[in-house]
Amino acid sequence: MYTFSSKLKTFSLILMVLGAIGIGIGFMASPKTIEDVEKILAADSHHGHEASHSEKVAPHAAEVHNTEAHVVSDSVKADDTHAVDSTHTEAHAVADSTNHADVAAPAVADAHGNNHEEHANADVHSHDDHKAHLEHVLHQLKNKPWAALYVACIFFMLISVGVLAFYAIQYAAQAGWSPILFRVMEGITAYLLPGSIIFFILLVAAGLHFNHLFVWMDPEVLDKTSVKYDKLIDLKSGYLNVPFFLGRAAFFLIVWNLYRFFSRKNSLAQDEASDNTFYKKNFKMAAAFLVFFIVSESIMSWDWVMSVDPHWYSTLFGWYVFASFFVSGITVIAMVTLYLKSKGYLEHVNTSHIHDLAKFMFGISIFWTYLWFSQFMLIWYSNIPEEVTYFVTRIEHYKLPFFGMLAMNFIFPLLILINTDFKRLTWIVVMAGIVILCGHYIDFFNMIMPATVGDQWFIGIPEIGALLFFLGLFIFVVFNALTKAPLVPKGNPLIEESKHFHY
Amino acid sequence: MSNKVIHAIYNDDDVLMDAVKQTRAAHHHIEEIYTPFPVHGLDKAMGLAPTRIAICAFIYGLVGLSIYTALMNYIMINDWPQDIGGKPSFSYIDNMPAFVPIMFEGTVFFAAHLMVITFYMRSKLWPFKKAENPDVRTTDDHFLMEVGVHGNEEELVSFFTSTGAVEVKVVEKH
């Protein structure tokens, strides 16, 4: 039996308290009125001027900037709720370049020459624009603490879902190596229940208009008389409406939790059983769960992640989200296993088990990259305006996180975990694991933030606070659950093979 | 000094593994072992050095990646930077996503083929190569261990008989 070390318990409590303070600060610091926003922007605008100047100096960069601005301006026309503008001044230049340069392509040089003039014009004739822009930024800044909470919450909840899927796969595949790790996985999936409750509360809060995370939830976008009326969202309202949305979410979360509850119960019952009835039940349940899971996971990703950008859709998005949290889940299994092993609790776990987990981390990291690139390259290549804005906003405003996560989730694991000997070394696996987990947090950050806070993003106190809070809660729940049952599932018919697994 | 070798023939891989361990313990140098299928753990029992072919493959992959990157860069960016359907050919990085499928396949192609060729060369396999099979049964259901004869021949023969060999022969090797 595992005993929750008091040090770890204190550590997780400290994380939760610090995180809660950070979340509180985030909500307190978010601006309440347009005047607040004006002050914040005034502080930033000087910086913005300098940036646009330096871009003009390098002729090549300016050229690229102009073509990109073109696309951005298209997006501004297509969906104004989403208008993405880097800084105040730049935004006007971009909007203007549509008016002047029109849609014809060869105007690149022209627009370049006119830039100064446009700048002057922009200041004069755009007081209304200015006000609308302030309101837009206000929404983004108000969303910031909510989005920070949302990203951290969904990230940790989906880690436990990823572990649950891995666990079900191990059962359904009758894997011989992994039963020794089943109790670790069951411990990690214990977070699913509290995690999904908090997550559902967040969804309900969005549905009750406490925040503007989901643009389509705003009743005015469906109101034909409103200036905010959005026909595209209206056409999707048969699917994207709050009651149906919450109903789906509740249904998926309940079924996942039920599978988790019963598989854990059967797994414990199997320890005392004289035959394999409970094992067989678990086997069948795992197979059925996987079928349900792959459908619900796909729909879940449209609802909880893709619908923050209701004008954009991608067919392989469900798989992409799945790969992201699946690899994170496997990484967490490896890290919790290594922690328990280092404390002397898992005597039958040898380097071959770690090697197998590291291979999964490596393989699924590549799989994630494959899906990321397939999605990116198809959209980049065809460059259809209504699709490509998704990546234009990310490359314009999220360049470092967007490409940085590629280094963290692909290049780093590729180079580190390709070596067989390295996959057996604790410190290598832990180091790779930390980088992969941070990388996939940023991945979720990149999925949610551009649509909710736009260019106002920053990984500051609200984001780190939310991350620490859920990390603390995760550690507390997981290690508390690990104390509830012996760490070796002795009734599992494959446990002997697993104990002697050697690769 | 004659170059005689002992051919100890076994009909079970477990017996063979035990025999290999005993032979190593008795400090007889194993020249070669012929088996009809891969025997798991035999290389470890014989004390063979691990293969480095994976390292070769990694390097070949890097070579492939470099070649294809340089190729696309020369053709599409330096030599004739045409505007093809609006794709940006100003610099390599601008148009890189379009080259990734080629870079990937090139990496795999080089890694795979050069590794296979390396394997053939290092294990001296090629068409019309004369088979080096000391006993035809070793391709079917027998295992053969070849040990050079140094010193007392009879002692060696009795040693290998005691390890469970079904047949022990002393052969003149050319």
Side-chain angles (χ1 to χ4, degrees), chain A residues 60 63-64 373 376-377 380-381 415 418, chain B residues 58 87-88 90 94-95 97-98 100-101:
Chain A
H60 179 64
E63 230 172 17
V64 175
F373 183 72
F376 173 74
M377 199 262 242
W380 172 87
Y381 209 107
L415 295 178
I418 199 167
Chain B
F58 187 78
K87 284 280 159 279
F90 309 114
D94 273 338
N95 208 4
V100 166

Side-chain angles (χ1 to χ4, degrees), chain A residues 251-290:
Chain A
F251 175 57
F252 297 156
L253 291 173
I254 287 170
V255 175
W256 296 348
N257 273 293
L258 282 178
Y259 169 68
R260 195 270 158 189
F261 176 79
F262 284 111
S263 66
R264 164 78 164 181
K265 205 176 148 201
N266 285 341
S267 166
L268 292 181
Q270 181 65 44
D271 274 7
E272 311 301 325
S274 52
D275 59 3
N276 287 333
T277 334
F278 292 107
Y279 175 77
K280 285 180 187 164
K281 271 189 192 165
N282 258 1
F283 170 75
K284 286 177 191 157
M285 208 159 47
F289 169 74
L290 286 171

Side-chain angles (χ1 to χ4, degrees), chain A residues 132-381:
Chain A
H133 175 62
L134 285 182
E135 199 156 327
H136 174 64
V137 175
L138 175 66
H139 280 306
Q140 291 182 330
L141 289 175
K142 270 185 169 171
N143 266 344
K144 228 182 134 199
W146 283 101
L149 203 58
Y150 188 82
V151 172
C153 185
I154 196 173
F155 179 62
F156 279 100
M157 186 198 66
L158 287 182
I159 283 180
S160 67
V161 175
V163 175
L164 193 67
F166 190 72
Y167 176 73
I169 290 170
Q170 298 303 311
Y171 252 110
Q174 301 183 9
W177 67 277
S178 54
I180 196 77
L181 301 171
F182 276 0
R183 285 291 144 79
V184 176
M185 298 183 208
E186 285 165 14
I188 298 170
T189 55
Y191 178 76
L192 182 59
L193 183 62
S196 53
I197 290 172
I198 299 175
F199 182 70
F200 191 71
I201 292 172
L202 273 182
L203 291 184
V204 172
L208 295 175
H209 310 301
F210 286 117
N211 56 55
H212 295 91
L213 288 184
F214 300 91
V215 184
W216 56 267
M217 281 180 177
D218 188 346
E220 283 191 62
V221 299
L222 304 178
D223 178 5
K224 284 195 172 63
T225 60
S226 167
V227 286
K228 283 196 195 167
Y229 177 70
D230 187 324
K231 194 173 180 198
L232 287 177
I233 293 179
D234 196 15
L235 288 169
K236 291 181 183 180
S237 61
Y239 181 79
L240 285 181
N241 60 72
V242 175
F244 190 29
F245 174 81
L246 290 180
R248 282 193 304 264
F251 175 57
F252 297 156
L253 291 173
I254 287 170
V255 175
W256 296 348
N257 273 293
L258 282 178
Y259 169 68
R260 195 270 158 189
F261 176 79
F262 284 111
S263 66
R264 164 78 164 181
K265 205 176 148 201
N266 285 341
S267 166
L268 292 181
Q270 181 65 44
D271 274 7
E272 311 301 325
S274 52
D275 59 3
N276 287 333
T277 334
F278 292 107
Y279 175 77
K280 285 180 187 164
K281 271 189 192 165
N282 258 1
F283 170 75
K284 286 177 191 157
M285 208 159 47
F289 169 74
L290 286 171
V291 174
F292 176 81
F293 175 74
I294 206 58
V295 177
S296 58
E297 189 277 329
S298 205
I299 298 174
M300 168 283 275
S301 72
W302 310 333
D303 282 1
W304 303 343
V305 188
M306 199 158 74
S307 87
V308 294
D309 277 297
H311 283 184
W312 182 79
Y313 42 82
S314 163
T315 318
L316 60 67
F317 197 72
W319 284 103
Y320 169 65
V321 174
F322 170 71
S324 188
F325 68 77
F326 194 54
V327 70
S328 311
I330 293 166
T331 305
V332 170
I333 297 174
M335 290 173 79
V336 173
T337 305
L338 285 171
Y339 172 78
L340 291 173
K341 173 114 184 109
S342 75
K343 298 284 168 196
Y345 285 105
L346 292 168
E347 55 164 329
H348 296 294
V349 171
N350 55 42
T351 50
S352 295
H353 294 103
I354 304 302
H355 189 169
D356 261 28
L357 284 171
K359 273 190 281 189
F360 270 106
M361 283 161 62
F362 176 72
I364 310 293
S365 284
I366 310 285
F367 177 62
W368 173 88
T369 315
Y370 166 68
L371 293 175
W372 176 86
F373 183 72
S374 303
Q375 181 171 271
F376 173 74
M377 199 262 242
L378 276 175
I379 291 174
W380 172 87
Y381 209 107

Side-chain angles (χ1 to χ4, degrees), chain A residues 365-439:
Chain A
S365 284
I366 310 285
F367 177 62
W368 173 88
T369 315
Y370 166 68
L371 293 175
W372 176 86
F373 183 72
S374 303
Q375 181 171 271
F376 173 74
M377 199 262 242
L378 276 175
I379 291 174
W380 172 87
Y381 209 107
S382 59
N383 205 21
I384 301 172
E386 66 256 36
E387 286 178 357
V388 84
T389 53
Y390 186 82
F391 288 113
V392 169
T393 58
R394 277 154 183 80
I395 293 173
E396 283 263 287
H397 304 306
Y398 290 72
K399 202 164 232 140
L400 181 64
F402 188 69
F403 291 111
M405 76 170 177
L406 207 58
M408 291 167 85
N409 294 340
F410 172 59
I411 297 170
F412 184 80
L414 176 78
L415 295 178
I416 288 292
L417 292 178
I418 199 167
N419 188 314
T420 300
D421 298 328
F422 283 5
K423 280 188 281 239
R424 290 167 178 263
L425 296 177
T426 305
W427 70 274
I428 293 267
V429 175
V430 170
M431 182 178 66
I434 291 171
V435 173
I436 289 175
L437 286 177
C438 293

Side-chain angles (χ1 to χ4, degrees), chain A residues 112-128:
Chain A
H112 189 48
N114 283 345
N115 243 349
H116 265 291
E117 208 180 306
E118 281 167 11
H119 234 294
N121 280 351
D123 286 344
V124 185
H125 72 68
S126 58
H127 268 295
D128 289 345

Side-chain angles (χ1 to χ4, degrees), chain A residues 27-47:
Chain A
F27 277 102
M28 244 111 77
S30 73
K32 305 284 176 292
T33 61
I34 288 186
E35 284 71 46
D36 294 348
V37 177
E38 209 149 31
K39 272 181 222 150
I40 295 171
L41 288 183
D44 285 351
S45 70
H46 190 65
H47 176 72

